[in-house]
Amino acid sequence: MNQELQFERVIPFYQGAPAFYLDLIGPANHYEVLVTLDTGSRYSLFSGSYATDIGLDLLSGKENTLWSLGGAIQGYLHGVVLEIAGSKFSAEVVFSLNHIPRALLGRHTVFEQMTWGLRESRREIYFSPRP
């Protein structure tokens, strides 16, 4: 059985990587952040400084430890709104206490609200704001 996926938007890779800008929206402000789409990450991960920038008390979130090849990353889980290519989604993301080299868009509370596809040969991300 041949099933064909239809995508509403195409997002070009940023500097050769599956990365793009999204709007991270909190109770007091929003911040444009470059994220890497990471299908292997359970959680989305952002620098803790962004929490303060958008009006969150970083330490009031649920404490969470993430593990990567670089070791443990201490952070706090918070509810935010993400705006991707003009569509808004509620999500739970981790804000890091440690320095992180880049923000990651992971699966938790995000992927079930949208459909993603990648085409490396064209350096394109395919996106639809529905599962």
Side-chain angles (χ1 to χ4, degrees), residues 40-116:
S41 290
R42 181 172 179 198
Y43 288 98
S44 297
L45 179 64
F46 295 90
S47 170
S49 64
Y50 295 142
T52 304
D53 292 342
I54 65 171
L56 295 171
D57 175 8
L58 175 62
L59 302 179
S60 71
K62 181 182 176 187
E63 192 170 357
N64 202 310
T65 301
L66 305 178
W67 293 92
S68 74
L69 294 175
I73 298 172
Q74 299 294 331
Y76 290 87
L77 190 67
H78 284 273
V80 297
V81 173
L82 303 176
E83 185 171 350
I84 301 169
S87 296
K88 291 183 180 179
F89 306 91
S90 294
E92 290 182 334
V93 304
V94 174
F95 290 97
S96 173
L97 287 177
N98 314 76
H99 170 73
I100 57 171
R102 66 183 176 274
L104 302 175
L105 187 65
R107 297 182 326 271
H108 177 74
T109 70
V110 174
F111 280 32
E112 66 258 17
Q113 299 179 68
M114 54 196 80
T115 302
W116 295 98

Side-chain angles (χ1 to χ4, degrees), residues 4-60:
E4 193 171 310
L5 291 174
Q6 299 294 317
F7 294 96
E8 294 180 25
R9 296 179 180 92
V10 176
I11 303 170
F13 279 22
Y14 181 83
Q15 294 185 346
F20 57 91
Y21 282 93
L22 60 72
D23 235 9
L24 178 63
I25 303 168
N29 207 352
H30 65 95
Y31 199 85
E32 189 176 53
V33 180
L34 178 64
V35 297
T36 299
L37 182 63
D38 189 346
T39 61
S41 290
R42 181 172 179 198
Y43 288 98
S44 297
L45 179 64
F46 295 90
S47 170
S49 64
Y50 295 142
T52 304
D53 292 342
I54 65 171
L56 295 171
D57 175 8
L58 175 62
L59 302 179
S60 71

